[in-house]
Amino acid sequence: MIKINDNYLKLPGSYLFSTIAKKVSAYQAEHPEAEIIRMGIGDVTLPLAPQILKALHEAVDEMGDKETFKGYAPDLGYRFLRETIAREDYQARGCKVDADEIFISDGAKCDCGNIQELFAADAKIAVCDPVYPVYVDSNVMAGRTGVYDPVTETWSDVIYLPCTMDNDFFPELPKETPDLIYLCNPCNPTGTTWTKEQLKVWVDYANAHDAVILYDAAYEAYITTPEVPHSIYEVERARTCAIEFRSFSKNAGFTGVRLGFTVIPTDLKSGDASLHDMWARRHGTKYNGAPYIQQKAGLAVYSEEGKKEIKEQVAYYMRNARTLREGLEAMGYKVVGGVDSPYVWLHTGEMTSWEFFDHLLDKAHVVGTPGSGFGPSGEHYFRLTGFGSYEATQKAVERIKGLV
């Protein structure tokens, strides 16, 4: 018999968004006349900004010229992009992050999943609950999560940090000490944010307990509240305890282009072992570098015209989120998010998350994401995204209003 990694067999069902896609496809097949508005998956819908397109075309032309052709990219990323990121995203905000601490990749999702390879098989993880499914699922695949309880929908070796309206979506420090702490700010799925002072609580805790914070900042471009940091490295002493993940997908529409990066400070160590050096070794062994074409497009994001165009796209999606939030609040729903995030998180009342999903799909032909798919504390919550068109967003609000 073939020897397999049977940890994969422990995963319950299929990936959350695959399940949603199958349910929607089945409903559409039974109701071909239904005009379905999809507000479930966090995929962008606006076309790439002009400056990015220009850079892509230029890069393609370069690849067709012997003098400017590029083969394998440097495994850690081209210097021109890493230096620009360090200057624009970090040093401009007072963060001590150097270009050599930035690792270019094909997206934050892959890095969030792959980073756990650096840590021991028995490392204890703590996750906010609800949480982006990749954090837990990738650790299940690594055999780090213990036994799954289908009744509570929890894993025996995972420390869950409930984030609900009862605690204003800011979790208590765990009683059991974790080795790895996953934080996402702005949070996917709740759309809520934490201030610099709130994050300092976690940075101080991680340093005091020799834990590592795995910090997902994929939605930092949507932050407008001054007290909310764009990077965890704005918090003092974060360099000795935190790894940060960034993405070009949501700020610049690269969901189909694929580009992201991870920051690992050289200060982050386990004894004499440098996590920066370990990730560099892993990157060099398992990754051949993000393509030159994508990296040149990424550079265009930081041009003056590129910044302006990206800012306009972010504002478009945030208008959608505001429309959702204000519309749902007017209907009497309890809602958070939609201020520093494109996600709106609403309470479903007596309905379970999946009951609300079916109700919304059948009666309003609107698709969202059941909160329970993000963890047990997501039950009786529901996520809607502002990444659609403004017209579809307005129409969705009107349809939901008709259900109240």
Side-chain angles (χ1 to χ4, degrees):
M1 182 179 293
I2 300 171
K3 294 183 178 180
I4 61 171
N5 179 357
D6 58 7
N7 291 310
Y8 279 72
L9 305 181
K10 299 177 183 178
L11 289 164
S14 60
Y15 185 57
L16 172 61
F17 298 105
S18 299
T19 301
I20 291 172
K22 291 174 183 176
K23 287 177 72 74
V24 174
S25 294
Y27 183 86
Q28 187 77 83
E30 294 177 7
H31 304 84
E33 76 290 348
E35 179 195 11
I36 296 176
I37 299 175
R38 290 169 169 80
M39 309 182 79
I41 190 170
D43 195 3
V44 296
T45 53
L46 293 176
L48 293 172
Q51 287 301 308
I52 294 171
L53 279 179
K54 179 182 176 183
L56 284 169
H57 284 296
E58 289 176 354
V60 169
D61 289 340
E62 289 178 61
M63 296 297 279
D65 188 313
K66 183 178 179 180
E67 300 301 320
T68 54
F69 171 78
K70 302 289 192 300
Y72 287 124
D75 51 7
L76 306 186
Y78 281 101
R79 194 81 194 174
F80 65 75
L81 182 56
R82 297 166 77 199
E83 289 179 346
T84 302
I85 290 170
R87 182 179 66 252
E88 298 287 335
D89 284 336
Y90 294 99
Q91 293 162 11
R93 295 189 180 278
C95 303
K96 184 183 178 299
V97 171
D98 296 326
D100 288 338
E101 297 173 317
I102 295 168
F103 300 81
I104 307 299
S105 71
D106 58 358
K109 179 179 182 179
C110 294
D111 287 351
C112 285
N114 291 329
I115 197 71
Q116 48 84 19
E117 291 184 29
L118 300 189
F119 303 100
D122 61 351
K124 198 83 169 182
I125 72 167
V127 296
C128 293
D129 175 30
V131 71
Y132 182 43
V134 170
Y135 305 158
V136 174
D137 286 1
S138 60
N139 278 282
V140 174
M141 294 170 178
R144 194 176 282 120
T145 55
V147 179
Y148 182 71
D149 184 340
V151 177
T152 61
E153 298 184 325
T154 59
W155 294 89
S156 61
D157 291 344
V158 174
I159 301 170
Y160 291 89
L161 309 171
C163 297
T164 66
M165 288 182 176
D166 292 336
N167 61 8
D168 292 326
F169 298 95
F170 184 69
E172 295 181 3
L173 295 174
K175 295 180 177 62
E176 183 181 2
T177 304
D179 299 293
L180 306 174
I181 305 167
Y182 286 85
L183 301 179
C184 184
N185 191 41
C187 178
N188 176 18
T190 65
T192 53
T193 52
W194 302 329
T195 65
K196 184 176 179 179
E197 286 305 308
Q198 287 175 312
L199 275 179
K200 186 177 183 301
V201 172
W202 284 99
V203 169
D204 290 345
Y205 176 88
N207 277 311
H209 293 82
D210 292 325
V212 175
I213 295 173
L214 303 176
Y215 188 80
D216 187 347
Y219 297 91
E220 65 79 28
Y222 294 84
I223 296 171
T224 57
T225 303
E227 295 79 16
V228 178
H230 289 253
S231 167
I232 196 166
Y233 301 118
E234 293 179 47
V235 180
E236 187 180 0
R237 298 178 65 224
R239 285 181 54 87
T240 55
C241 70
I243 295 172
E244 182 166 295
F245 307 99
R246 289 281 191 102
S247 171
F248 286 80
S249 289
K250 306 303 165 69
N251 66 329
F254 276 38
T255 54
V257 176
R258 307 309 306 148
L259 192 66
F261 61 91
T262 290
V263 180
I264 304 185
T266 54
D267 299 0
L268 184 54
K269 296 182 178 181
S270 174
D272 293 330
S274 164
L275 271 70
H276 172 278
D277 294 349
M278 290 171 64
W279 187 244
R281 186 67 172 85
R282 189 259 174 208
H283 224 53
T285 300
K286 291 192 172 186
Y287 190 58
N288 266 338
Y292 170 73
I293 294 172
Q294 279 93 320
Q295 292 196 53
K296 180 156 184 178
L299 184 65
V301 171
Y302 297 95
S303 67
E304 287 306 311
E305 197 61 33
K307 289 178 185 177
K308 179 182 176 182
E309 293 168 358
I310 296 307
K311 187 175 181 179
E312 290 173 353
Q313 290 196 345
V314 168
Y316 179 90
Y317 293 132
M318 286 308 299
R319 180 174 69 156
N320 291 348
R322 184 171 63 252
T323 299
L324 278 172
R325 178 183 176 125
E326 292 176 353
L328 291 166
E329 285 178 333
M331 298 175 213
Y333 285 102
K334 295 179 181 178
V335 183
V336 295
V339 176
D340 293 304
S341 164
Y343 295 124
V344 171
W345 187 248
L346 64 99
H347 198 276
T348 62
E350 296 299 318
M351 286 191 190
T352 67
S353 299
W354 281 106
E355 286 172 347
F356 192 81
F357 174 90
D358 292 334
H359 177 66
L360 212 59
L361 176 60
D362 188 44
K363 303 301 181 183
H365 299 158
V366 173
V367 176
T369 309
S372 61
F374 296 101
S377 292
E379 185 57 275
H380 295 292
Y381 290 94
F382 200 77
R383 193 190 77 174
L384 292 171
T385 169
F387 282 124
S389 71
Y390 182 60
E391 295 72 24
T393 301
Q394 288 180 306
K395 187 179 293 185
V397 170
E398 290 302 313
R399 289 185 185 178
I400 298 172
K401 188 185 298 182
L403 303 180
V404 178

